[in-house]
Amino acid sequence: MLMHVINIGHDVLKANDKIAEKNNRLLEKNAVLAVNIMGAIGSGKTTLIEKAIIELGDKYRIAVIAGDVIADMDAGRIAKLGVTTIPVNTGRECHLDAKLVGKALKSIDLKDIDILLIENVGNLICPVDYKLGEHLRVVVVSVTEGDDIVLKHPFIFKSSDVAIIHKKDIAEAVFASTQKMEHDVRELNPNIPVMTTSIHDKTSMEQWFSTISSFADKLKQSC
Ligand code: MG
Ligand code: ZN
């Protein structure tokens, strides 16, 4: 019985991978960098997206897929910045999948954009398994989640390309050590850049912006 369940799961993921590859080809055809931003509710995903749009919006044409459980709320926040924003209602699903993203891609004029920011649904578990066709997987954790949050969710850190430890300005107040969190990420995945950020620390935010822009520039050159 258990075997059966595992097999179904495997097939579902294989089917998802295929659609994700299709999404990726479509994005590359149009030289669009897609960033999958994963993290718990309240970790700061929407704010990091807003800040990136404000900073990079002059140089790059940006669109957003907002797949939070409270999709309409986050999408509303982002749409106020004047970028194309597609809210994706996942219903009871706690993650975006390639099919949902593929559908959303149809309502975006991909020729007219350079960067697609995808806000995944707020959790650190199942978004790991569902590729969307993205080029860059970013995991965001906040110090408010406790400084053992990284070790509790090893798979998302192993499968991500960039890790962000956010809200460092309030670490002390919540008894969290950003050094421990950074160390834990490096233990799990020595190859990825780790940023310790706060919206009140300009230098740290610039690291976030330049990560996105450098990948977007690289993609443009290779397409
Ligand atoms: Mg959000
Ligand atoms: Zn899920």
Side-chain angles (χ1 to χ4, degrees):
M1 200 55 187
L2 188 61
M3 282 288 285
H4 188 60
V5 171
I6 289 168
N7 284 335
I8 289 169
H10 185 69
D11 287 349
V12 167
L13 289 179
K14 256 173 85 179
N16 182 77
D17 282 358
K18 269 210 171 126
I19 303 170
E21 277 167 32
K22 211 177 118 193
N23 290 346
N24 188 266
R25 280 196 297 272
L26 181 65
L27 290 159
E28 300 224 329
K29 204 177 114 192
N30 291 282
V32 176
L33 176 84
V35 186
N36 178 7
I37 299 158
M38 305 172 287
I41 294 170
S43 57
K45 298 185 298 299
T46 312
T47 305
L48 287 167
I49 288 170
E50 286 174 325
K51 297 285 178 194
I53 291 167
I54 292 166
E55 177 68 24
L56 300 172
D58 289 340
K59 195 173 164 206
Y60 302 89
R61 299 163 300 170
I62 302 172
V64 176
I65 293 176
D68 225 329
V69 180
I70 40 166
D72 286 353
M73 255 173 81
D74 282 348
R77 266 174 70 180
I78 295 162
K80 274 195 192 126
L81 300 171
V83 298
T84 302
T85 309
I86 312 295
V88 175
N89 210 324
T90 54
R92 298 175 72 125
E93 289 295 335
C94 41
H95 56 270
L96 284 175
D97 63 25
K99 205 171 164 183
L100 286 167
V101 168
K103 234 168 128 189
L105 288 180
K106 288 198 176 115
S107 46
I108 301 172
D109 218 335
L110 293 174
K111 274 198 196 71
D112 287 342
I113 67 162
D114 306 304
I115 297 171
L116 174 67
L117 301 174
I118 305 169
E119 176 169 354
N120 215 313
V121 179
N123 85 72
L124 292 165
I125 312 281
C126 40
V128 175
D129 293 321
Y130 288 85
K131 293 177 191 157
L132 308 177
E134 73 275 47
H135 300 94
L136 198 62
R137 290 161 75 81
V138 178
V139 56
V140 183
V141 287
S142 156
V143 296
T144 56
E145 296 169 75
D147 61 12
D148 53 355
I149 190 75
V150 175
L151 288 183
K152 279 181 181 164
H153 299 90
F155 300 112
I156 199 158
F157 288 92
K158 284 183 181 171
S159 79
S160 288
D161 305 300
V162 174
I164 297 181
I165 297 160
H166 197 40
K167 306 188 189 177
K168 68 168 175 175
D169 53 314
I170 54 170
E172 213 173 302
V174 296
F175 306 103
S177 160
T178 55
Q179 284 94 333
K180 173 188 161 30
M181 295 172 85
E182 249 188 89
H183 173 263
D184 290 347
V185 176
R186 290 191 205 285
E187 289 273 287
L188 289 166
N189 193 341
N191 301 317
I192 65 171
V194 187
M195 284 169 245
T196 303
T197 55
S198 153
I199 57 165
H200 306 294
D201 176 21
K202 207 171 160 230
T203 313
S204 74
M205 292 307 290
E206 271 159 12
Q207 271 183 290
W208 163 233
F209 305 144
S210 68
T211 300
I212 299 173
S213 61
S214 69
F215 275 95
D217 295 346
K218 236 185 274 169
L219 185 79
K220 275 269 185 275
Q221 282 162 14
S222 69
C223 278

